[in-house]
Amino acid sequence: MAGEMPFEAPLVEMRKKIEELQQFGAEKGIDFSEEIARLEERYRQLEEEVYSNISPSQKMHLARHHQRPTSLDLIGLIFTDFIELHGDRLFGDDLAVVGGLAKLGGVPVTVLGQQRGKDTKDNIARFFGSPHPEGFRKALRLMQQADKFGRPIITFIDTKGAYPGITAEERGQSEAIARNLKEMALLRVPVICVVIGEGGSGGALALGVGNRVLMLENAIYSVISPNGAASILWKDASRADQAAEAMKITAKDLLEMEVIEEIVPEPRGGAHRSYEETATVIKEALVRHLEELSALNGDELLSDRYAKFRKIGKFAEKQVLQEQMEEVADPPAESAVTGGE
């Protein structure tokens, strides 16, 4: 197994034993087929136990796996005729955001995504997938271009958050994110967002205002990274695993809260096990949702997007206020007696 995670150690150990037994049998000419079959069956049972009980913190580490497919990996497998476009026409070209023109099943689209590096040098060039303001402005430029020419927009979300350095603040980081949120809400073309790895903070939201938001099975999506939350709550970023367990950041949690519309399944063990299989299931979901959204006109797409975000969250203020008012109007008997005394 390549790139195994700590929780996969029992599987790695059992697979090693099976391979050793196979090799020993081949070298000594001994038939261990029955023993190997029993071990293989036990391996399948253990695999089901391990992968059906992945905790939120373990999913966080899967979402951050260094071999997990990036936006460019998936763009190359899902789309055809991709032409990357560069620059925000204001400052420069942020390599942490990639985007351009492509075709999805023959349909012209604009595709965007946050891009992590493949090695240390690439990560430094791409700021580890954390965009500067010019990255968000590049994305906005391409989305406005898509809106002008009636092309659907597809975004891939994969960032721990916007770049937190002083250079980003000097160039208007918060304004760039806020403008993307506003302008994406007003687009009159279908917008589909897919969280493929880690969707953290405003850096993720700046590409996340869509008619449909999908998540890969082991991706995470949150208003702040678990490390950031741990730093605020306990002044200790190393307690990120503990924060992840409490933050409701998994695809299952977010589907239940209606923040996303669909969970896209991953290959057994994570998306890094098979880029092709991961791309195939994402493409199927994109085509299906795009067909549904393409039946709507501009006004209907605006209303659909508005309704999607308005339904997020549950509010109980009215009920609480009513109960408090009733308690004041009709106090408990004990209070009335005490007052009489």
Side-chain angles (χ1 to χ4, degrees):
M1 296 172 66
E4 62 271 2
M5 304 293 288
F7 67 87
E8 295 175 301
L11 292 172
V12 175
E13 186 63 28
M14 182 166 286
R15 174 52 59 188
K16 183 180 179 181
K17 289 179 179 179
I18 293 172
E19 292 173 354
E20 288 175 350
L21 188 58
Q22 289 172 332
Q23 183 179 356
F24 182 76
E27 291 175 353
K28 302 299 182 181
I30 304 174
D31 183 10
F32 290 117
S33 57
E34 291 186 8
E35 290 80 356
I36 291 172
R38 283 196 294 270
L39 285 174
E40 290 282 7
E41 178 60 28
R42 175 57 188 146
Y43 180 87
R44 285 189 288 271
Q45 293 174 359
L46 182 60
E47 191 178 46
E48 181 63 29
E49 293 173 10
V50 169
Y51 291 130
S52 61
N53 293 288
I54 301 177
S55 69
S57 60
Q58 290 168 341
K59 288 193 174 187
M60 176 186 72
H61 292 292
L62 278 175
R64 295 174 173 177
H65 198 287
H66 66 283
Q67 293 179 352
R68 195 170 177 85
T70 65
S71 293
L72 284 177
D73 290 326
L74 295 174
I75 288 171
L77 291 168
I78 294 172
F79 303 90
T80 59
D81 303 312
F82 175 62
I83 301 174
E84 185 174 357
L85 302 178
H86 299 272
D88 67 341
R89 303 298 187 267
L90 293 170
F91 181 85
D93 186 34
D94 185 354
L95 299 182
V97 174
V98 296
L101 313 178
K103 289 184 179 179
L104 176 63
V107 178
V109 299
T110 290
V111 58
L112 300 155
Q114 283 124 353
Q115 179 66 24
R116 295 176 287 106
K118 287 290 190 178
D119 52 36
T120 301
K121 182 179 179 180
D122 197 20
N123 263 318
I124 291 172
R126 298 185 185 277
F127 304 104
F128 292 84
S130 295
H132 277 70
E134 53 269 26
F136 297 122
R137 290 171 181 144
K138 173 169 69 173
L140 179 58
R141 179 176 75 83
L142 297 183
M143 288 188 284
Q144 290 174 332
Q145 180 194 80
D147 195 41
K148 178 179 179 180
F149 292 102
R151 288 192 300 268
I153 298 168
I154 294 165
T155 71
F156 291 124
I157 296 170
D158 187 16
T159 182
K160 292 183 179 181
Y163 187 75
I166 190 170
T167 55
E169 295 300 328
E170 288 173 341
R171 297 201 287 271
Q173 185 74 288
S174 58
E175 186 276 339
I177 293 172
R179 184 173 294 275
N180 274 31
L181 298 178
K182 174 189 173 184
E183 297 298 332
M184 286 190 77
L186 300 176
L187 294 169
R188 300 177 66 83
V189 294
V191 182
I192 304 174
C193 310
V194 188
V195 185
I196 61 173
E198 181 173 10
S201 193
L205 293 176
L207 294 185
V209 183
N211 297 89
R212 302 288 184 272
V213 179
L214 318 179
M215 279 183 72
L216 281 177
E217 181 181 359
N218 294 315
I220 60 174
Y221 195 28
S222 58
V223 72
I224 188 173
S225 72
N227 304 73
S231 295
I232 293 171
L233 292 174
W234 303 297
K235 311 300 181 186
D236 184 0
S238 67
R239 296 173 68 177
D241 284 5
Q242 185 178 348
E245 295 291 338
M247 289 173 63
K248 303 292 184 182
I249 60 177
T250 69
K252 181 181 177 182
D253 293 325
L254 294 165
L255 183 64
E256 291 175 356
M257 294 187 288
E258 299 184 289
V259 174
I260 66 171
E261 278 66 52
E262 182 177 337
I263 299 174
V264 180
E266 295 186 24
R268 181 62 64 88
H272 60 285
R273 300 293 181 199
S274 174
Y275 286 20
E276 291 77 12
E277 186 178 340
T278 301
T280 297
V281 291
I282 292 176
K283 182 176 181 179
E284 184 277 328
L286 289 175
V287 169
R288 177 162 36 82
H289 284 285
L290 187 56
E291 287 177 351
E292 295 174 3
L293 293 172
S294 295
L296 306 179
N297 61 37
D299 290 336
E300 291 170 333
L301 287 167
L302 284 172
S303 298
D304 176 83
R305 202 175 303 129
Y306 177 81
K308 172 198 164 36
F309 286 94
R310 283 291 295 172
K311 73 181 180 181
I312 296 174
K314 306 295 181 183
F315 302 92
E317 289 88 346
K318 182 177 179 181
Q319 179 181 350
V320 172
L321 180 60
Q322 184 176 356
E323 291 174 354
Q324 291 173 342
M325 291 177 65
E326 290 175 352
E327 187 174 330
V328 171
D330 186 17
E334 183 178 351
S335 297
V337 172
T338 303
E341 293 178 351

